[in-house]
Amino acid sequence: MNSKEIIPKDLIAIADIVKPKGLKGELKVFLYNKNSKTLKKNINVWIELDADNYQPLVVEYLLSSGKYEIIKFERIDSRNESEGFSNGRIYVSRADFDNAKDLYLVDLIGFMVKDEFGLEYGEVRDIINLPTNDSLIFFYKEKEIMIPISDDFI
């Protein structure tokens, strides 16, 4: 389904779809924030299939499986149906986050990186999840810079 009228403007990417799992339409997904409780039963999500092409779905269930999660969407009941979502990205409306008033890492995108003296270095362009920590990404003097999100740097 590609209907721009129903796609919320406040979509936030929260997971990447890795591949189908099993025969019942389940998918293996990598959550950007393993501790997030946003992705849950009955929540509306949008799957980015390619540029400007989103499929709205409803989560039927979510199971933990090591470093990945297993997700099942309503009305996706076979491996054949789920294969079209491989390598897709899962988005959720910001309004549907656990507590919409809380601050999330994604909220830092667009903020200016400054040092303790107020000198500006660049605007936060992205947040990435690495095995050891999350990091802010910004550009300074035409180079991509990563700053670990830790008390030592923030």
Side-chain angles (χ1 to χ4, degrees), residues 43-61:
I43 194 168
N44 294 312
V45 299
W46 286 262
I47 309 299
E48 182 181 40
L49 303 172
D50 53 48
D52 296 325
N53 186 10
Y54 293 83
Q55 173 73 46
L57 293 168
V58 176
V59 174
E60 186 173 320
Y61 61 81

Side-chain angles (χ1 to χ4, degrees), residues 48-111:
E48 182 181 40
L49 303 172
D50 53 48
D52 296 325
N53 186 10
Y54 293 83
Q55 173 73 46
L57 293 168
V58 176
V59 174
E60 186 173 320
Y61 61 81
L62 185 72
L63 305 170
S64 185
S65 178
K67 73 176 197 173
Y68 296 102
E69 305 292 315
I70 305 302
I71 194 167
K72 169 75 172 66
F73 296 112
E74 292 180 1
R75 292 177 288 182
I76 305 297
D77 297 316
S78 73
R79 185 179 185 91
N80 287 345
E81 291 174 301
S82 67
E83 283 177 345
F85 300 114
S86 289
N87 301 314
R89 183 163 286 155
I90 300 174
Y91 290 81
V92 174
S93 169
R94 179 65 168 88
D96 289 335
F97 275 38
D98 292 337
N99 186 345
K101 294 179 183 177
D102 284 348
L103 181 69
Y104 290 85
L105 290 177
V106 70
D107 296 330
L108 299 176
I109 295 173
F111 276 62

Side-chain angles (χ1 to χ4, degrees), residues 122-139:
E123 184 179 295
V124 176
R125 301 288 179 108
D126 200 1
I127 308 286
I128 60 171
N129 180 276
L130 300 171
T132 56
N133 60 283
D134 296 323
S135 293
L136 299 173
I137 304 292
F138 68 97
F139 286 90

